């Protein structure tokens, strides 16, 4: 009996211990299980909504943009299954809503296609498995009253202000109200910070127009702080300026609210317009002879390379314009073989153009032939096809480039004047434009592209005007020679020197010695050959002695 009591007592103690410690072990197990879950980050669900117009909106449960997340979650949870979406609805544009879940290890997504209509009772969706559901009418009505549904309303799109090219000008401030399915007006507002810049030619119309005309529209224009005008857009005058400038505009438009209207609102536009004064061109002479040149100058030209000159009949050159200060200039040479008569020159730049008539006459010094007494051996040795071809390539290479900076000023040095090359007047041995026939080579002739002056050996040769040395070297035909680029396509050539005193890249002044006379190259006696070219066309140096290059004059 005593033994049974002891056993009973032992069982009671053991049971008490179990009752006491089991909850503790259970709590510990739950703690560790909970601890594992706590180490995992809470899954993040993101909603991305893209409407048929391409507008995208994003929200999360914790950062719910205007209740977007809650609204679409509720529509998902409270929809009713249907066999299919009505044909009248299924073909309309849909709104795509994508729920993305990121649990820290992977991202999963489910997309729903929402087919909304302005009738809240006829709104549907396709779930991720393409099963059709009908949306709760009350919840659909809530959506239709938000700005996210504006794609459904044609009147929700604000009118656009368009420039002359048909490009929209964004409003700086916009408040636009459109009527929704609930017969209430929904506000769409917009604020812009970028100021659009337009370009116009002065005197031209801005060409502004609205996709839907406002009831009132006032435009103010400012040149700096000066008010140019304040008027209705329909009465806005043309902008006439004598120089290029930037005009700032403030345009305020209003579409009034009237009974039963679908939309109304106001918009303010701020933009600037760069007005370019019209380009003006002038020519220095309407009459010219072979070997001469005309100068066309222009003002209000920003890009000289964009100026185009055409001629009827065609001239044997492609004029280039060079910028200098507020003007651009082009020297247009008339080659020796140009047919005489009238030429119609047309200058075009942007919307501006000018026409000039130039009368080309015969060479003022007449057409003459000369015989050059060169030995047969020299002709055979120097005047070979290979040497002539090498000469032509070298000349073309030098003529291909032109200094954009004008170095020359005033008249050019006349080598015939006493004291220029020697104490007495220098004698012209061979003039410009002469048809030269080689005495000891029957049938061989060439056009003389410069002027040869007969002078003693080792006489200093002055530069005819300031410029940059672009060639100093030797050639079988020209001998030792130097080329100076005076700018604007105008170059002077000095051949048959005994020595050059300058190097490529040197900037020389007018009358600075560039070398000594000699008889190198294709010549038998001491002389200096002076040539002047514009681009690759030779011109008569004599024409530069008296007046130099005469530019047209523009009134200030």
């Amino acid at each position: 009996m005593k033994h049974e009591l002891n056993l009973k007592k032992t069982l009671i103690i053991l049971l008490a211990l179990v009752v006491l410690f089991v909850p503790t072990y259970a709590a510990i197990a739950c703690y560790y299980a909970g601890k594992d879950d706590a180490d995992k980050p809470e899954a993040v669900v993101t909603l991305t909504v893209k409407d048929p117009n391409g507008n995208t909106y994003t929200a999360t449960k914790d950062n719910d943009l205007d209740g977007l997340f809650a609204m679409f979650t509720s529509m998902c949870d409270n929809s009713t299954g249907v066999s299919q979406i009505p044909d009248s609805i299924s073909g309309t544009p849909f709104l795509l809503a994508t729920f993305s879940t990121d649990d820290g290890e992977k991202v999963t997504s489910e997309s729903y296609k929402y087919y909304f209509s302005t009738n809240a009772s006829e709104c549907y969706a396709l779930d991720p498995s393409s099963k059709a559901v009908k949306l709760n009418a009350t919840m659909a009505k809530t959506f239709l009253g938000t700005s996210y549904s504006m794609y459904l309303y044609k009147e929700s799109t604000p009118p656009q202000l368009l420039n002359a090219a048909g490009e929209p000008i964004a409003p700086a401030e916009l408040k636009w109200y459109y009527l929704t399915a609930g017969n209430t007006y929904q506000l769409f507002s917009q604020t812009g910070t970028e100021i659009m810049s337009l370009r116009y030619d002065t005197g031209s119309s801005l060409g502004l127009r609205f996709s839907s005309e406002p009831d009132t529209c006032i435009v103010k224009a400012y040149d700096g702080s000066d008010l140019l005008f304040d008027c209705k857009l329909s009465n806005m005058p043309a902008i006439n300026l004598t120089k290029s400038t930037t005009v700032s505009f403030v345009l305020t438009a209003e579409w009034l609210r009237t009974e039963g209207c679908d939309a109304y609102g106001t918009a303010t536009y701020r933009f600037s317009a760069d007005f370019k004064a019209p380009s003006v061109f002038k020519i220095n002479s309407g009459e010219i002879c072979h070997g001469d040149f005309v100068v066309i100058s222009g003002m209000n030209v920003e890009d000289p390379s964009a100026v185009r000159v055409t001629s009827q009949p065609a001239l044997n050159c492609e004029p280039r314009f060079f910028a200098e200060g507020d003007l651009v200039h082009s020297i247009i040479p008339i080659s020796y073989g140009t047919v005489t008569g009238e030429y119609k020159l047309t200058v075009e730049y942007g919307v501006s153009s000018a026409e000039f008539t130039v009368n080309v006459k015969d060479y003022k010094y007449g057409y003459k032939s000369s015989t050059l007494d060169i030995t047969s051996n020299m002709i055979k040795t120097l005047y070979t096809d290979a040497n002539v071809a090498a000469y032509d390539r070298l000349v073309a290479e030098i003529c291909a480039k032109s200094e954009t900076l004008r170095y020359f000023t005033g008249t050019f040095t006349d080598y015939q004047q006493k004291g220029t090359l020697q104490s007495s007047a220098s004698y012209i041995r061979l003039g410009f434009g002469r048809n030269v026939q080689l005495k000891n080579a029957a049938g061989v002739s060439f056009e003389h592209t410069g002027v040869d002056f007969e002078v003693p050996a080792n006489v200093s040769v002055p530069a005819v005007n300031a410029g940059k040395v672009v060639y100093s070297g030797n050639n079988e035909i020209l001998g030792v020679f130097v080329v100076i680029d005076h700018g604007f396509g105008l170059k002077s050539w000095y051949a048959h020197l005994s020595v050059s005193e300058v190097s490529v890249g040197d900037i020389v002044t007018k009358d600075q010695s560039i070398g000594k006379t000699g008889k190198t190259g294709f010549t038998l006696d001491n002389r200096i050959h002076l040539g002047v070219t514009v681009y690759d066309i030779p011109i008569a140096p004599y024409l530069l002695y008296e007046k130099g290059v005469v530019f047209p004059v523009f009134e200030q």
Side-chain angles (χ1 to χ4, degrees), residues 201-412:
D201 289 305
T202 185
S204 63
S205 170
L206 284 179
L208 299 177
R209 59 186 176 85
F210 283 94
S211 57
S212 176
E213 288 300 320
D215 294 290
T216 62
C217 184
I218 302 298
V219 58
K220 297 180 180 180
Y222 298 88
D223 181 3
S225 59
D226 297 332
L227 179 65
L228 297 179
F229 53 78
D230 179 353
C231 63
K232 294 181 179 180
L233 178 61
S234 57
N235 297 332
M236 189 177 72
I239 307 293
N240 290 297
L241 302 168
T242 57
K243 62 179 181 178
S244 299
T245 191
T246 299
V247 178
S248 300
F249 291 88
V250 178
L251 188 149
T252 303
E254 183 175 10
W255 293 261
L256 298 175
R257 179 177 179 176
T258 58
E259 185 178 354
C261 71
D262 295 324
Y264 65 94
T266 60
T268 300
Y269 304 84
R270 295 185 177 90
F271 58 93
S272 63
D274 296 328
F275 282 90
K276 186 177 65 176
S279 301
V280 179
F281 295 94
K282 290 187 176 183
I283 193 168
N284 69 338
S285 177
E287 194 168 280
I288 192 172
C289 65
H290 291 151
D292 201 348
F293 58 87
V294 293
V295 178
I296 294 179
S297 299
M299 65 183 301
N300 301 326
V301 175
E302 295 179 353
D303 181 7
S305 66
V307 182
R308 295 288 178 265
V309 179
T310 56
S311 175
Q312 185 63 37
L315 288 173
N316 186 29
C317 75
E318 295 183 7
R320 287 182 56 191
F321 279 82
F322 299 87
E324 185 177 53
D326 295 332
L327 304 176
V328 295
H329 307 286
S330 179
I331 302 174
I332 303 177
I334 304 299
S335 64
Y336 196 89
T338 301
V339 177
T340 58
E342 281 192 351
Y343 288 76
K344 301 290 185 181
L345 302 185
T346 301
V347 186
E348 296 176 298
Y349 179 71
V351 298
S352 301
S353 64
E355 292 187 352
F356 305 103
T357 299
V358 176
N359 185 24
V360 176
K361 296 184 176 182
D362 287 333
Y363 180 47
K364 65 187 299 184
Y365 296 103
Y367 304 98
K368 300 177 182 179
S369 296
S370 296
T371 300
L372 188 60
D373 190 1
I374 300 290
T375 65
S376 299
N377 184 57
M378 182 173 283
I379 294 173
K380 184 177 180 180
T381 304
L382 297 180
Y383 204 75
T384 64
D385 290 342
N387 285 347
V388 171
Y391 162 80
D392 290 338
R393 287 194 300 271
L394 180 57
V395 170
E397 180 182 337
I398 295 172
C399 291
K401 299 178 181 179
S402 296
E403 287 291 309
T404 58
L405 177 66
R406 176 165 72 98
Y407 294 94
F408 67 88
T409 57
T411 59
F412 285 59

Side-chain angles (χ1 to χ4, degrees), residues 413 415 420-421 459-465 484 494 509-515 530:
T413 297
Y415 282 179
T420 302
L421 290 173
V459 171
S460 292
V461 177
V464 294
N465 213 310
I484 298 175
Y494 310 81
T509 58
K510 181 180 178 181
D511 293 331
Q512 176 183 332
S513 178
I514 53 91
L530 172 65

Side-chain angles (χ1 to χ4, degrees), residues 92-173:
T92 59
F94 60 85
L95 182 150
L96 185 66
T98 302
F99 290 92
S100 301
T101 303
D102 184 355
D103 62 4
E105 296 180 356
K106 64 178 180 178
V107 179
T108 57
S109 299
E110 291 185 336
S111 295
Y112 296 77
K113 295 179 180 179
Y114 286 84
Y115 294 85
F116 289 101
S117 70
T118 54
N119 182 354
S121 299
E122 293 296 324
C123 296
Y124 298 83
L126 289 177
D127 69 10
S129 62
S130 296
K131 291 182 180 179
V133 295
K134 185 174 183 178
L135 303 182
N136 179 279
T138 301
M139 294 180 178
K141 185 176 181 180
T142 300
F143 172 80
L144 295 177
T146 68
S147 59
Y148 303 114
S149 67
M150 65 183 298
Y151 74 91
L152 293 167
Y153 304 98
K154 180 181 178 181
E155 298 78 12
S156 68
T157 303
Q160 287 186 318
L161 175 63
L162 307 173
N163 65 15
E167 301 166 331
I169 300 175
E173 300 169 9

